Amino acid sequence: MSNTIPDIVQTQVFNAPLQKVWDAVATADGIAAWFMPNDFQPVAGHAFTIHSPYGDSPCVVQEIDPPNRLVFKWGKDWVITFALKDLGETTEFTLIHSGWSPDTVTEFGESHAVVRDRMNQGWDSSVLPKLKEYVEA
C-alpha cells in the first residue's frame, strides 16, 4: 500500500481566449468571481488571504508567468498551480493541487486523507464549473 496521497490534477478546455482565462485566475476580482474572496496580487512573493467558508487561509504567490502559469502556497500545506495553454479560440486549463501527506492534519484539524477527497470533488463538481461558466460568459 502506498504511503502517499496523489495530487489533484484536473484539466479542462474552456471556450474562451487565453487572456480571458488568465484574468479570471490571476486577478483578485477574477478569483473572487469563481472561487473565494481574496486580496491576491500577481506578484511573486506576495502574501495574500483566501477567505474560505472554513476560515481565512494565508497564501503566498510562489511563481507567476503571465499568461501561462500561476503557483501559490495555500495554507500551511498545499500548493496550487494553474497552468494555461493557448489553443487558439480555446484555452486548456490545468489545476494541480499538491502537498498532500497521509501524516498531516490541516490547520482546521482534519487529516489530508479526508480533505483530499472532499477537495477533489469540490474542484470537480463546484469550483471548476464556476470558472468555466465565468470565462465562457
Side-chain angles (χ1 to χ4, degrees):
M1 183 171 169
S2 175
N3 207 18
T4 62
I5 299 174
D7 293 348
I8 294 170
V9 179
Q10 296 191 14
T11 299
Q12 296 187 7
V13 175
F14 297 138
N15 188 20
L18 178 68
Q19 190 62 51
K20 186 173 185 182
V21 178
W22 179 254
D23 290 345
V25 302
T27 65
D29 289 343
I31 295 167
W34 61 273
F35 190 40
M36 289 183 255
N38 65 88
D39 58 353
F40 173 85
Q41 289 182 20
V43 177
H46 175 70
F48 67 102
T49 303
I50 290 177
H51 306 287
S52 85
Y54 300 98
D56 288 351
S57 292
C59 301
V60 177
V61 177
Q62 293 188 317
E63 179 186 336
I64 187 150
D65 177 19
N68 304 301
R69 185 174 168 87
L70 168 64
V71 180
F72 64 91
K73 180 92 170 160
W74 181 14
K76 67 181 182 65
D77 304 319
W78 300 323
V79 175
I80 304 295
T81 301
F82 299 147
L84 288 71
K85 182 177 179 184
D86 189 353
L87 301 177
E89 299 293 315
T90 61
T91 303
E92 181 182 274
F93 174 82
T94 300
L95 160 86
I96 303 167
H97 185 160
S98 60
W100 304 101
S101 172
D103 303 322
T104 303
V105 174
T106 70
E107 55 265 42
F108 304 111
E110 295 183 293
S111 77
H112 277 201
V114 169
V115 174
R116 193 250 181 229
D117 289 339
R118 184 181 319 133
M119 292 294 285
N120 188 43
Q121 285 201 328
W123 286 117
D124 187 49
S125 65
S126 178
V127 179
L128 293 182
K130 285 180 188 174
L131 174 58
K132 179 180 176 68
E133 181 180 340
Y134 180 71
V135 300
E136 291 184 355

